[in-house]
Amino acid sequence: MPIARLTWLHPETHEPQSYDLHEGMLVRIGRAASNDISVPHVTVSRLHAIVQYEDGMFVLSDQGSSNGTFLNDQQIATPQPLVSGDRIRLYGPELLFSAVELDAHAPTTTPQDEATVLPSALEANTVQSVAYLLFLNGAQKDLRVPLAMKELRIGRATQNHTWEVGVQDSTVSRPHARLQNVDGAWTVQDLGSSNGTMVNGNRLTEKPKILIDSDIITVGSTMLQYRIGR
């Protein structure tokens, strides 16, 4: 099952085009027909850019193109991580990067869930009301992570990560933060991350902070909302 997708309009026919992205892929984009994605336009180089799966996320890199590669209208000079909704512009033609929504009729645990949330975090027994984290942006937008254990660590998603919640965001540390249930109240604590952990825009110190319903936790550039639901 694909975890992301690139969509664009063919420059000549203006027909909608799409290309599914799976874990481990390297996708070549350019004017030449030999590329995985061929965009026949005069402003596009023969090999213009690549999208590659690295450490749990897709990364965009320019390949020495004549006119440059732009991410959300900003020209890139170094590889950049992609999040759902990002616009990739090959000087003229534009492609949209989006996460693939989970099939409502699919089993509860999907390949995407398994790659980012360890089974123990999903399968632990819960009692009555269960708190959860809701991804508000990024490649995992709208993904819910039930807080069914006494303690969960959050960190950057990698192929062999051991923390319970993996985030597809290169600005997230390995690991980044810890959530812990203390006497029925959930707390969040930064684990010495490079970019810090914030709650409602306020950077955490070394001490744990008690969470209340609808608090926004920011790790790297990813926002998660703490919710209490039944």
Side-chain angles (χ1 to χ4, degrees):
M1 178 179 175
I3 59 175
R5 180 173 292 127
L6 290 170
T7 55
W8 70 99
L9 292 179
H10 193 283
E12 297 174 346
T13 66
H14 303 292
E15 290 291 324
Q17 309 287 309
S18 67
Y19 193 96
D20 287 346
L21 303 174
H22 300 260
E23 287 188 19
M25 291 186 76
L26 187 153
V27 180
R28 296 173 177 83
I29 307 171
R31 188 177 74 250
S34 57
N35 290 299
D36 302 294
I37 296 178
S38 176
V39 184
H41 190 273
V42 65
T43 64
V44 178
S45 296
R46 290 183 60 81
L47 174 58
H48 198 108
I50 63 171
V51 171
Q52 185 172 10
Y53 188 84
E54 296 180 354
D55 293 330
M57 68 192 71
F58 286 100
V59 177
L60 172 69
S61 303
D62 183 73
Q63 297 298 294
S65 63
S66 300
N67 295 313
T69 300
F70 297 76
L71 180 61
N72 300 323
D73 292 327
Q74 298 294 318
Q75 187 169 2
I76 65 171
T78 58
Q80 298 295 315
L82 294 170
V83 298
S84 188
D86 276 347
R87 293 175 294 109
I88 301 169
R89 186 159 57 83
L90 311 178
Y91 190 76
E94 187 172 277
L95 301 87
L96 177 67
F97 176 85
S98 58
V100 173
E101 294 184 5
L102 301 180
D103 187 347
H105 300 291
T108 301
T109 303
T110 68
Q112 182 185 20
D113 293 332
E114 292 171 355
T116 57
V117 184
L118 295 188
S120 56
L122 294 170
E123 296 172 0
N125 292 329
T126 61
V127 179
Q128 297 182 349
S129 178
V130 176
Y132 62 90
L133 293 177
L134 175 66
F135 280 77
L136 298 180
N137 66 334
Q140 295 152 285
K141 186 177 184 292
D142 297 328
L143 177 66
R144 292 190 181 194
V145 180
L147 302 180
M149 304 173 68
K150 287 292 185 181
E151 181 179 316
L152 297 94
R153 292 169 300 156
I154 300 172
R156 188 191 312 170
T158 62
Q159 188 172 10
N160 298 310
H161 70 256
T162 58
W163 30 95
E164 289 73 27
V165 181
V167 183
Q168 296 178 24
D169 180 349
S170 65
T171 62
V172 172
S173 295
R174 300 177 286 182
H176 195 109
R178 175 171 55 230
L179 274 75
Q180 191 170 16
N181 190 313
V182 180
D183 296 329
W186 279 98
T187 65
V188 60
Q189 182 179 17
D190 185 73
L191 294 177
S193 64
S194 299
N195 296 311
T197 302
M198 294 190 293
V199 175
N200 301 328
N202 298 311
R203 192 182 182 103
L204 296 182
T205 62
E206 68 277 4
K207 296 180 179 180
K209 178 176 176 56
I210 295 176
L211 295 169
I212 62 174
D213 190 31
S214 298
D215 274 350
I216 304 295
I217 304 168
T218 303
V219 291
S221 59
T222 299
M223 294 185 296
L224 306 98
Q225 187 173 42
Y226 170 78
R227 298 300 305 270
I228 299 175
R230 293 185 179 275

